Each structure stands twice: as structure tokens, then as C-alpha cells.
Amino acid sequence: MADKDAVTKDYMQDRETFADAFNYLIYGGEQVIKPEQLKPLDTTSIALPYGEDGKPVPVQKYRDVLKIVTAMEDDNAAYLLLGVENQNQIHYAMPPRNMLYDSLQYVAQVYEAAKSHRLSDKLPETRAEFLSGFYKTDKLLPVITLTIYFGADKWDAPKSLYEMFSVNDDRLMRFVSDYKLNLIAPADIADEDFTKFHTELSLALKYVKYSKDKKKLKEIIKEDTAFKSVSRKTADMLNIVTNSGLHYNEGEECVDMCEAIEGIKNDARAEGVEEGVMKTLIGLVKDGILTLADAAARANMTVPEFKKKTGLN
């Protein structure tokens, strides 16, 4: 699991891939967020819940990827905080988890505003500004968190906080704030919508979508010529995330995914042939036609190796 988490985190650190994911989510594939507008931020957040004695107990939370984007809005700079949470398994409590990350970001912004005021010569104009540390003219940067699920199964977990409640009283629920999960899950993407991506994230998600249907996956890879030359980074990520056992040379910068899948089939055939040969040799030994030494020699093994492999004595 650690390998999968690390490889997807590294994959989404790429600015082009990161921008591509958010352009798909927010703008339907229109290239509004530019990679060069993105700057990485510290993914560590500190929460201060209170312990039994009332003293604050720092709790550290780590986001997968966090970046700030500077976008132009009516000739004015608009700043957003964008975060990605990668999931290799379905998580049934994702809405409150992401809500916590977002809340920590907002609290951190309030804290930073108060800190900057203390260090400046600008004094608060009212007692309310003094008490909160956040002035009337201060503004927060919007935070958008996107969960990307690198699994082939349908996401059957809650996509909002409301879905996690059992209360059905509409009058009461009007006063309970909802939190929507922003999600990209391959199984939910229609085949024609993969064209809305403009990086290899499209190929990665399409591969993941059909990774459990080998016949369909092979068809998809043959039909889409882009799979003829996939970057090593994408191929490595897919190999680990989907446990595909793809075969390609270590030194290759680009991978032909069709050939890589054929490598799996060839290995499977070879394993099948070896298994058949071993069964034949075992039968010949049991029938007294071959000695253990003869059978081991035909299998290119030592006698101890042959015994260990076959369980014969």
C-alpha cells in the first residue's frame, strides 16, 4: 500500500498532470488553469484539539499534494488553494476527512492574517478586530480539494456529508452544513470524456478503468494509438497501482503498453508449459519410469531442488 500511495502522490505532483485534473473537474477540460500558474505549498497542517486537561494537543495532518494557483479574473488576480488526495482504496469517510483538510487551511489563513497584523504597524480599528486578529477587510483564499481514485471499482462510498447522516428531518437538516466530495473515479468517466484530459492522466485513468477486464483492456490499448508510446513514469505508476505485472525494459523512456501486456501473456504461457512439464516428470517418477536424478536432470535442477519443487522423496 505504501508503494501505491507514494507513486500516485509523486505522479500528481507534476504540474501539468495536476492542472489537467482540475481543468477536467472545474472546467470540463477547458485549459483554464495553466501549469505555470501553480506553485507547490507545504502539505503539513496543524490542528489543536484539546486534551483531557484542557491543554491543546497538536495533531499533524498531511495532504498528498497542495498547490496555490494564480488565475486572472476580470483583469484581477484570483488566488486559489488546490489540494489532491489520492485513493487506492475506497474510503467510506472521505467527506469529513477532506472537510478537515479544508478547515485546517482556512484556520491557517486566519492565523497567518493575525500574525501579519501583529508584525505590522497597522493597529486594529475595533475591539472585534483586536479579539479575532482577523480584520474586517481581510479575505480568505478558496480551497478546493479533489479526490482521485486510482481503482477500477465503482466508488460506492458517500460523496457528501449528508449521505453519512441517518436523520431525515428536513427542518433540522437545513441547519446542518453539507460538504461535497469532489471526486474523479475512472469507472464514472464515459469513454468519450477521456478526451477532456490533455495529459497522460487520460491514459492512466482509462487503463485503471478497464484493468480488471483484461479482454476489454487489450482492445482499448489496441484502439488508442497513444498507448503505443507511454512515458515510463505513467507505465511504472500503472504497473504498481493495478498490479499488472507489465513487462518492459528497464532503460526504456517510453513504453508500448500493447507489447508490455503481451509480455504478461508470454510469461503466462511459459509458466503453463513449465507446469505441464513438471506434472509429466512427477508422473514418470511415480510410475517408476524415471529416477529422481533423471527427472531432476531433465528439469535442469539438482535433486534437492527437484524434491523441494515437487514434494517427492
Side-chain angles (χ1 to χ4, degrees), residues 45-51 54-61 100 104 107 111:
S45 298
I46 303 292
L48 293 173
Y50 290 95
K55 294 181 180 179
V57 181
V59 177
Q60 208 164 32
K61 300 290 183 182
L100 174 60
L104 289 174
V107 170
Y111 175 81

Side-chain angles (χ1 to χ4, degrees), residues 249-264:
N249 296 327
E250 285 296 324
E252 288 183 311
E253 292 185 5
C254 292
V255 176
D256 184 328
M257 296 297 280
C258 190
E259 290 184 1
I261 285 183
E262 284 298 324
I264 301 174

Side-chain angles (χ1 to χ4, degrees), residues 281-291:
L281 291 175
I282 291 171
L284 292 173
V285 171
K286 287 182 176 180
D287 291 339
I289 299 172
L290 288 179
T291 65

Side-chain angles (χ1 to χ4, degrees), residues 134-157:
F134 195 81
Y135 292 3
K136 188 176 181 179
T137 55
D138 288 335
K139 300 296 179 184
L140 295 175
L141 304 182
V143 181
I144 301 175
T145 297
L146 166 62
T147 296
I148 302 180
Y149 173 48
F150 286 93
D153 296 327
K154 192 81 173 175
W155 182 275
D156 62 355

Side-chain angles (χ1 to χ4, degrees), residues 18 22 63 65-67 81-85 144-147:
F18 188 95
F22 276 96
R63 279 180 175 272
V65 189
L66 182 66
K67 297 182 187 291
L81 294 179
L82 304 177
V84 164
E85 293 302 312
I144 301 175
T145 297
L146 166 62
T147 296

